[in-house]
Amino acid sequence: MAKWGEGDPRWIVEERADATNVNNWHWTERDATNWSSDKLKFLLVGLSVENEQGTCEVTEVSKVEGEASINNRKGKLIFFYEWTLKATWTGTSKSGIKYTGTLEVPNLSDENDMEDLDVSVSLNKDEPETPLLNLMKTKGADKVRIALDSYVGYLKTEFTQGMILPTANGMATIQSTSQSKAKLDKTQISAPGSSTAPVNTGVKIPTCKLSLRETFLTSPADLYRVFLNQEMVQAFTRASASVDADKGGRFRLLDGNVLGVFTELIPDEKIVMKWRYNNWPSEHYARITMVFLDRSSETELRLELAGVPESEEERTREGWKRYYFEAIKQTFGFGSRLY
């Protein structure tokens, strides 16, 4: 069989076709299946939750079936992913008794919102009943959803490097969709060299501001300390954390799902920080200002968030209410009123 050579007209035609695909303007596709399989296992194995009954940990991911791909069409990135997952979890009671069970996710796909994601948790048939099952069904399932949400974020940022290129009008957009359900991701990618984009990613995204208020049955000093003391942070997040409680100090919460830097600290009065979910575009932070107001027997916390990606507005708002406000009240007994 003859091979194509540089003199073969078919070679010349193909070369010209490739040359005209400037900035991936024509349809290009990248298979993300193998990368996704490894990333999903990495995010799930070692995930753990704990309460007064004991601890639970995902010890093995035994099934990762599905596929993922990214298509670039005229500057739009279109994401397709569909996965069925199965994992083993191990529970250890405070008395040292071990239990094993399974965790299944049948519908991780671009057609389903993360809030609708099914996370089925069960004990193995030969295991006796244990309250650790409920721990894994509630807090464990929540952390699984957070981890899988991180996978989607990594797919849209980390894996797309090299696919995000300027288009004819200087902009490229990310579109998260399937053939039956189109969802436009509001993230926009600006041309290299844009002064408004983060230096190392070229990402420019629409942002919004949020304002939250919450009242805690404690003093400003005690509430202020909750956010800066590493042991207290680990207590209310029920996850590993590192907190360097100085100006310029970094923090890492919820097993690395939340990152940031303290930029201003006024003891018992004010905390200002750069804050981000780890699946936001690289180096994009929201600016968060926390003001602690003494209301006699209570403390009013006023929270201002600026620079939150518009597509993350609801997730960020509910995340602060659930994983900060509600968790702090439940952990330290600072009241139960939520506003």
Side-chain angles (χ1 to χ4, degrees), residues 212-216 219-221 223-224 227 264 266-273 287-295 298-305 320 325:
L212 299 173
R213 293 189 182 187
E214 189 61 74
T215 301
F216 298 83
S219 67
L223 185 59
Y224 178 89
F227 290 96
E264 183 181 355
I266 302 177
D268 310 338
E269 295 181 13
K270 186 178 183 181
I271 296 174
V272 182
M273 54 187 167
R287 184 177 187 272
I288 293 183
T289 302
M290 306 169 66
V291 178
F292 303 81
L293 302 174
D294 192 345
R295 301 298 190 215
E298 301 177 336
T299 297
E300 180 184 347
L301 175 61
R302 293 186 178 179
L303 188 72
E304 300 290 333
L305 303 89
W320 270 88
F325 298 165

Side-chain angles (χ1 to χ4, degrees), residues 220-253:
D222 285 345
L223 185 59
Y224 178 89
R225 189 161 61 95
V226 165
F227 290 96
L228 296 176
N229 180 281
Q230 181 168 305
E231 288 73 24
M232 297 181 80
V233 170
Q234 291 182 146
F236 78 76
T237 60
R238 290 165 172 75
S240 62
S242 61
V243 181
D244 181 3
D246 291 310
K247 183 178 179 179
R250 296 184 175 274
F251 57 86
R252 183 182 180 90
L253 316 181

